[in-house]
């Protein structure tokens, strides 16, 4: 299994508060991704990174920002959490060649 | 607009039965992947198909990529309870390291 961890694994927060999720890899892969998974919608790309400090938006990026200051870490920030951002968030990594390796996920509940 | 349509959305069968899951699109893909996701975990890659008409076998699982590279199928022979999970197809349209995911087929194999 690829060395990829996510923290926290579970979080409950209140509407309007900022939240940061962390993805950490030990594989030195160039590409990193943040997805959210919701019933009826499948996996949707929020943001992705193609190198340190190089990021781009996915299909559902509104309300989210990301940062990648080191190869191994990719942070996802919900600037002001809303109930619609209650979801399961997955980080994935890739060395190129399309195969993506997923982390275990973070369950976020926004009350 | 969902680029990849998976069917059926839900499937519940008895152990020993055969089943086929479909992944269809009006778009052409450079490659298509199938992932399996178990509850509480991230998706795990099963196979990648690249060539139109390609057939790949993984034990009791048979994957096929359509001749026009717009669709794919997953056939499971003699399903077992361990096959239970969410099956996701993901397409690569080329030109980037992003994948487009279908919404998934949730398979339950009853003993």
């Amino acid at each position: 299994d690829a060395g990829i961890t996510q923290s926290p694994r579970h979080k409950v927060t209140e509407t309007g508060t900022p939240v940061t999720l962390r993805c950490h890899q030990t594989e030195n892969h160039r590409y990193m991704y943040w997805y959210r998974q919701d019933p009826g919608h499948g996996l949707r790309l929020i943001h992705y990174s193609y190198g340190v400090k190089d990021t781009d938006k996915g299909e559902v990026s509104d309300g989210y920002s990301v940062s990648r200051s080191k190869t191994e870490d990719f942070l996802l920030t919900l600037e002001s959490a809303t109930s619609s951002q209650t979801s399961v968030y997955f980080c994935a990594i890739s060395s190129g060649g399309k195969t993506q390796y997923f982390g275990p996920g973070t369950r976020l509940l926004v009350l | 607009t969902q680029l990849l349509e998976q069917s059926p959305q839900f499937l519940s069968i008895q152990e020993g039965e055969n089943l086929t899951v479909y992944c269809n699109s009006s778009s052409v893909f450079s490659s298509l992947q199938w992932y399996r996701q178990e509850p509480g975990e991230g998706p795990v890659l099963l196979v990648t198909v690249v060539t139109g008409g390609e057939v790949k076998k993984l034990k009791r699982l048979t994957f096929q990529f359509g001749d026009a590279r717009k669709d794919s199928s997953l056939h499971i022979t003699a399903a077992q309870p361990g096959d239970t999970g969410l099956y996701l197809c993901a397409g690569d349209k080329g030109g980037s390291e992003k994948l487009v995911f279908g919404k998934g087929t949730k398979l339950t194999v009853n003993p």
Side-chain angles (χ1 to χ4, degrees), chain B residues 11 28-29 32 81 85 89 96 103:
Chain B
L11 188 57
V28 175
F29 290 96
L32 203 141
C89 66
S96 79
K103 294 182 180 181

Side-chain angles (χ1 to χ4, degrees), chain A:
Chain A
D1 291 343
I4 176 170
T5 57
Q6 293 184 230
S7 59
R9 294 293 314 279
H10 303 270
K11 186 170 182 65
V12 180
T13 191
E14 293 186 348
T15 298
T17 61
V19 176
T20 296
L21 308 182
R22 181 187 184 224
C23 178
H24 179 78
Q25 61 148 327
T26 58
E27 305 297 321
N28 200 36
H29 283 355
R30 177 182 175 185
Y31 301 93
M32 299 186 76
Y33 310 80
W34 276 109
Y35 294 90
R36 59 178 291 174
Q37 187 173 38
D38 305 286
H41 291 279
L43 276 168
R44 293 181 291 174
L45 182 65
I46 304 171
H47 282 280
Y48 73 103
S49 170
Y50 46 96
V52 174
K53 298 187 178 179
D54 291 324
T55 65
D56 204 352
K57 295 179 179 180
E59 62 178 297
V60 289
S61 60
D62 287 349
Y64 301 94
S65 62
V66 290
S67 66
R68 190 170 179 200
S69 58
K70 299 185 291 185
T71 297
E72 56 266 36
D73 289 324
F74 193 30
L75 304 180
L76 176 70
T77 297
L78 287 65
E79 294 141 9
S80 177
T82 67
S83 58
S84 65
Q85 293 176 312
T86 291
S87 186
V88 182
Y89 291 86
F90 286 99
C91 176
I93 62 175
S94 172
S95 61
K98 313 305 180 185
T99 299
Q100 294 187 11
Y101 301 93
F102 286 81
T106 294
R107 288 188 173 274
L108 176 67
L109 175 60
V110 183
L111 299 174

Side-chain angles (χ1 to χ4, degrees), chain A residues 37-38 42-43 90, chain B residues 6 8-10 21 34-39 41-44 46 74 83-89 102-108:
Chain A
Q37 187 173 38
D38 305 286
L43 276 168
F90 286 99
Chain B
Q6 287 191 242
Q9 188 176 356
F10 299 97
V21 173
W34 286 92
Y35 290 79
R36 186 171 77 192
Q37 183 178 16
E38 299 189 15
E41 300 181 7
V44 176
L46 295 173
L74 159 60
D83 295 326
T84 292
L86 179 68
Y87 289 81
L88 295 160
C89 66
K103 294 182 180 181
T105 293
K106 187 172 182 180
L107 171 66
T108 302

